[in-house]
Amino acid sequence: MTIPDSLVTDPSLCECLELVSKLRILCIQLLSGLQSQGPAGEHSEAALIERARQQKLLNAYLTQLKVLHRAAFISAREAKQTTTEARQEVDRLHLQLQNLYYEQRHLRGEIAACKDFPHSYTSLPLISEGEFLQLHPEHTEDDPHTLMIARLHNEKAVREDLERQRKELSAKKQTLISENKKRKDDLASLDEQLKKFIEIDTNNIPEGILNPRMMVVCSH
C-alpha cells in the first residue's frame, strides 16, 4: 500500500520512506537479474561484479534503514513522553479551571446572599432621601452607596444630639426635683417650727388672761 506524500510531513519519516523506496527498487532489480540468468557456469564477470555491487548497496541501505528505524523509535518515544506531559498539563489546567468555576459560583452565591441579607440599617426610620438632599445638597451627585453612608452618618449625628439634649433635660429635671423636695422639706420644717412656737407661747400665757374666745383664736 502506497502512502501519499501529503500525509507524511516529518523529515525523518520522509527520509525513511525514500530509503525504503530505493531499497524496494534495488530488490526488484536483484530478483529480475536472478530470474534472467542462465546456468551457473554462464555467469559473466560483469554480471557478477554488478550483483556484488548491488548486494553491497543493499546491505548499506539496510544498515541505514536500521539507523533510521532506531531514530524513529526514539523520536516516537520522546513524542509520546512529550504528549503525556502535555496531557498532564492540560488535565492540571482543566482541573484548575473547574476549581475557578466552582469558586466563581460560590462567590456569586455569597454576593447574592449579602445583597438579600436583611441589614439592620434598612429598618431604621431614616428621613426620606429627598428631605435629606434638601438639607444636604452637597450629596446630590453621590452614588447610592455613598449617599446611604451619608444618610446613616447624618442619622447618627442627629440621634447623638437628641441623646445629649435628653441627658441635659434629664439633669435639669433631677435638679428641679431636688429643689422641689428641698423646698417641701423646708416648708414642712417651717410648719413644725410654727407649731412649736405657738405651743410655747400658749403655755407661757396665764390661764386667767385667756378666755375661750381667745383660745379658739389661738387654736386656729
Side-chain angles (χ1 to χ4, degrees):
M1 180 179 179
T2 304
I3 301 176
D5 295 338
S6 59
L7 296 180
V8 180
T9 58
D10 186 80
S12 60
L13 291 179
C14 290
E15 183 180 1
C16 184
L17 290 176
E18 183 180 357
L19 182 60
V20 169
S21 179
K22 292 180 180 179
L23 188 59
R24 176 174 173 273
I25 294 173
L26 183 59
C27 290
I28 292 174
Q29 291 176 355
L30 285 171
L31 291 174
S32 298
L34 291 174
Q35 291 175 358
S36 62
Q37 288 177 357
E42 298 179 359
H43 292 270
S44 63
E45 184 177 355
L48 293 176
I49 294 173
E50 180 63 22
R51 185 187 301 173
R53 188 188 66 79
Q54 291 179 343
Q55 287 179 350
K56 288 180 180 180
L57 186 58
L58 178 62
N59 292 331
Y61 282 168
L62 289 175
T63 302
Q64 189 176 357
L65 183 62
K66 289 179 180 179
V67 173
L68 292 176
H69 177 268
R70 179 174 178 79
F73 176 78
I74 295 174
S75 178
R77 184 170 60 184
E78 293 176 352
K80 183 178 180 181
Q81 180 66 25
T82 303
T83 303
T84 302
E85 294 176 355
R87 182 180 299 171
Q88 291 175 352
E89 179 66 14
V90 170
D91 292 340
R92 186 187 67 81
L93 294 175
H94 183 264
L95 180 60
Q96 184 177 358
L97 180 61
Q98 294 299 322
N99 291 335
L100 289 176
Y101 281 147
Y102 174 78
E103 185 176 358
Q104 183 187 47
R105 289 195 298 270
H106 174 72
L107 291 177
R108 285 181 175 177
E110 291 295 325
I111 292 173
C114 290
K115 288 183 177 179
D116 297 336
F117 184 78
H119 298 283
S120 58
Y121 77 88
T122 57
S123 60
L124 292 176
L126 302 176
I127 61 176
S128 65
E129 183 176 325
E131 184 179 355
F132 174 79
L133 292 176
Q134 289 180 356
L135 296 174
H136 304 278
E138 66 274 11
H139 295 286
T140 304
E141 301 298 329
D142 290 349
D143 58 88
H145 178 71
T146 305
L147 180 60
M148 177 55 70
I149 292 177
R151 292 175 65 190
L152 291 174
H153 286 168
N154 176 74
E155 182 68 20
K156 178 183 178 183
V158 171
R159 292 195 179 199
E160 288 177 348
D161 185 62
L162 291 175
E163 178 64 16
R164 179 183 57 78
Q165 295 180 19
R166 186 191 67 81
K167 289 181 178 179
E168 291 177 356
L169 293 175
S170 178
K172 289 181 180 180
K173 178 182 177 181
Q174 293 298 326
T175 301
L176 292 175
I177 291 174
S178 299
E179 291 178 355
N180 288 337
K181 184 176 183 302
K182 184 176 181 302
R183 289 176 181 178
K184 287 182 180 180
D185 294 339
D186 291 343
L187 289 176
S189 176
L190 182 60
D191 289 342
E192 291 295 331
Q193 291 177 5
L194 288 174
K195 288 180 181 180
K196 291 180 180 180
F197 178 75
I198 292 172
E199 291 177 355
I200 292 172
D201 288 345
T202 303
N203 292 331
N204 291 334
I205 297 174
E207 288 187 20
I209 296 177
L210 295 174
N211 56 32
R213 182 177 297 174
M214 292 177 63
M215 292 177 64
V216 171
V217 174
C218 289
S219 63
H220 289 286

